[in-house]
Amino acid sequence: MQVDVISSVIEVRSDDFVQKTVIAIDVLRATSTIVTALAHGCSSVVPVETVNQAKQLQLPEDLLGGERFCKKIAGFHFGNSPFEYMTPDIAGKRIVLTTTNGTRAIQKAQRASHVLAGSLLNASACARAAVALKRDVVILCAGTQDEFSLEDGLCAGLLIRKLEDVSNECPETNDFGAAMRLAYDSASDRLEETLLQGSNGKRLSKIGYREDVSFCSQIDRFDLVPILRDQAMIRF
Ligand SMILES: O=C(O)[C@H](CS(=O)(=O)O)OP(=O)(O)O
Ligand SMILES: [Mg+2]
């Protein structure tokens, strides 16, 4: 199995995803939030790039979620904090979500055979799903405004380790993937502190979301994988 890691959406080339399974990662916070929302009973999450797209897609029963500048968008039901999606209010609902980086990364990956949402929260489940899908894998780090984000790279390194465990082989990876595996190995016993030292961890902490960073630092909190089907992320 080949497992390549792409450092941010700006690095994507047009043929990168053909016949592949893509695992899109935005640890802080979009993919962590999508996993959390599905774990708390929403029926699906529809990731879109823009606020206007979200409003246009919204059906009467749908909920709107997302952020700009890390804050809830005016008129939306929820922001981009996983804690907001731990409510019975979302049970059975479709959520249309737009965030600065994560939903954009998922959109970018649409040409792939399969698109999964990965995070620290669902790393083992994600690796099992990717192996079951029997394709080469591309791990797409969403990054932040076209730049690499530390937390996404560490999650990519963890996913490579999990893919090794599940597939019982050492997957071939590109040099960036090998570097992220080393980075994860050296930070694995202090992930939360490391995330708090990254630029997103610092920014979110500064504006009152330190608990979000702590929450998103947990490995394997949830045993579920979001997969893209007909433009919506549902449970695999
Ligand atoms: O809400 C978030 O954590 C970020 C906001 S940004 O990176 O500071 O613009 O959005 P995300 O799409 O989850 O990276
Ligand atoms: Mg992010």
Side-chain angles (χ1 to χ4, degrees):
M1 179 195 273
Q2 181 75 30
V3 182
D4 290 337
V5 181
I6 298 178
S7 60
S8 81
V9 285
I10 197 79
E11 300 295 331
V12 172
R13 289 166 307 195
S14 60
D15 60 349
D16 276 339
F17 302 145
V18 178
Q19 301 287 315
K20 307 261 174 76
T21 293
V22 172
I23 305 176
I25 299 176
D26 186 347
V27 170
L28 298 175
R29 295 168 291 173
T31 54
S32 300
T33 293
I34 293 170
V35 170
T36 303
L38 285 168
H40 286 81
C42 74
S43 60
S44 65
V45 178
V46 182
V48 298
E49 270 195 67
T50 69
V51 174
N52 270 345
Q53 284 169 341
K55 288 178 178 168
Q56 279 164 11
L57 264 180
Q58 185 194 20
L59 298 173
E61 292 296 304
D62 290 345
L63 298 172
L64 288 179
E67 58 67 43
R68 286 298 178 270
F69 307 104
C70 305
K71 298 284 174 61
K72 187 171 89 155
I73 297 159
F76 277 36
H77 300 89
F78 305 113
N80 192 25
S81 168
F83 289 105
E84 295 176 77
Y85 296 83
M86 297 178 189
T87 162
D89 295 351
I90 69 168
K93 298 278 190 184
R94 186 173 90 140
I95 297 167
V96 184
L97 182 74
T98 179
T99 74
T100 311
N101 310 289
T103 56
R104 181 172 163 234
I106 294 168
Q107 290 277 318
K108 273 258 179 195
Q110 286 204 356
R111 290 238 228 125
S113 296
H114 306 286
V115 183
L116 310 178
S119 66
L120 298 169
L121 299 173
N122 69 336
S124 290
C126 215
R128 282 197 302 274
V131 169
L133 290 166
K134 296 185 188 302
R135 305 261 179 183
D136 287 336
V137 172
V138 176
I139 299 175
L140 173 59
C141 298
T144 303
Q145 279 152 359
D146 296 339
E147 289 195 4
F148 171 68
S149 288
L150 177 65
E151 64 277 5
D152 296 339
L154 293 172
C155 184
L158 167 65
L159 279 171
I160 294 173
R161 287 292 183 216
K162 296 287 185 191
L163 286 163
E164 287 170 7
D165 292 346
V166 177
S167 64
N168 260 325
E169 60 171 286
C170 192
E172 294 290 322
T173 187
N174 60 354
D175 282 1
F176 189 68
M180 293 306 99
R181 183 170 54 195
L182 287 170
Y184 170 74
D185 288 347
S186 77
S188 61
D189 57 351
R190 52 199 151 84
L191 267 187
E192 183 179 342
E193 297 103 287
T194 308
L195 261 60
L196 285 163
Q197 284 159 13
S199 54
N200 281 324
K202 282 187 193 149
R203 181 174 55 246
L204 287 166
S205 297
K206 204 169 161 189
I207 61 170
Y209 292 117
R210 189 190 189 286
E211 286 311 308
D212 284 29
V213 182
S214 301
F215 181 80
C216 296
S217 303
Q218 302 171 92
I219 294 177
D220 287 344
R221 167 80 183 237
F222 299 118
D223 187 23
L224 79 88
V225 186
I227 186 165
L228 196 64
R229 293 276 187 257
D230 298 328
Q231 320 283 322
M233 305 237 60
I234 58 171
R235 288 176 83 126
F236 177 62

